């Protein structure tokens, strides 16, 4: 036992031993928080899932590695596990061939091998674990939708309000103005949202073929 402990704590494998210890610590914390009615995974967030490119290169890299958008806790455990196991294997093979590598060199090799492993594993796990269906839409998704003026009229002055339903049927009340070439759009007019500037939309009167069979606000 002492020989095994000495091997695990030797300087050349210390980074991988620390990663393995972190897995045990994180797993223990998850069990403890579940016993008290909480969850470490919920505290950390449900997933790393960036649908849009970010200015932060680290976030983009994580998004690429976590191809399936698995929960954050699972992703961390996958990354730590792959790094730890790969590092120990690299040092064991190096020791049999010529001698252990410096910890820094072995760590670089472990990271290089772990990245595709974690990417493949996260994709496989994401296909297995259930996901909550998301009904969240961005403001940009409302462009092209038909709504009804509820606070108006809409003109090129202060914005009014338009009631518009997203693709899931959820209703939004957004600020809107009439397009520069449009005449004022009185309350009750069905309009098409054609553009957006921040949180303010630009609307034109909806053509007849775009109008629903019933006014949006009167539908149940």
């Amino acid at each position: 036992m002492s020989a095994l402990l000495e091997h695990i704590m030797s300087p050349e494998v210390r980074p991988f031993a620390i990663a393995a210890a972190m897995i045990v610590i994180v797993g223990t914390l998850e069990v403890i928080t579940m016993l008290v009615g909480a969850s470490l995974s919920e505290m950390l967030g449900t997933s790393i899932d960036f649908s849009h490119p970010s200015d932060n290169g680290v976030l983009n890299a994580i998004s690429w590695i976590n191809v399936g958008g698995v929960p954050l806790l699972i992703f961390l455990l996958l990354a730590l596990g792959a790094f730890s196991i790969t590092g120990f294997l690299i040092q064991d093979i190096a020791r049999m061939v010529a001698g252990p590598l410096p910890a820094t060199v072995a760590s670089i090799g472990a990271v290089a091998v772990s990245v595709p492993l974690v990417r493949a594993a996260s994709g496989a796990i994401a296909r297995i674990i259930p996901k909550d269906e998301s009904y969240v839409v961005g403001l940009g998704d409302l462009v092209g939708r038909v709504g009804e003026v509820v606070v108006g009229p809409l003109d090129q002055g202060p914005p009014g309000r338009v009631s518009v339903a997203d693709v899931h049927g959820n209703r939004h009340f957004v600020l809107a103005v009439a397009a520069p070439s449009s005449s004022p759009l009185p309350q009750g007019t069905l309009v098409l949202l054609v553009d957006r500037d921040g949180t303010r939309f630009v609307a034109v009167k909806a053509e007849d073929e775009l109008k629903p069979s019933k006014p949006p606000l009167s539908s149940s």
Side-chain angles (χ1 to χ4, degrees), residues 139-159:
L139 287 177
D141 297 321
L142 298 178
V143 175
R145 307 288 298 179
V146 174
E148 180 177 344
V149 179
V150 293
V151 178
L154 302 187
D155 51 27
Q156 289 74 41

Side-chain angles (χ1 to χ4, degrees), residues 164-185:
V164 58
D166 60 31
V167 67
H168 303 296
N170 300 317
R171 190 155 296 282
H172 305 264
F173 294 87
V174 299
L175 295 172
V177 297
S181 59
S182 173
S183 57
L185 304 169

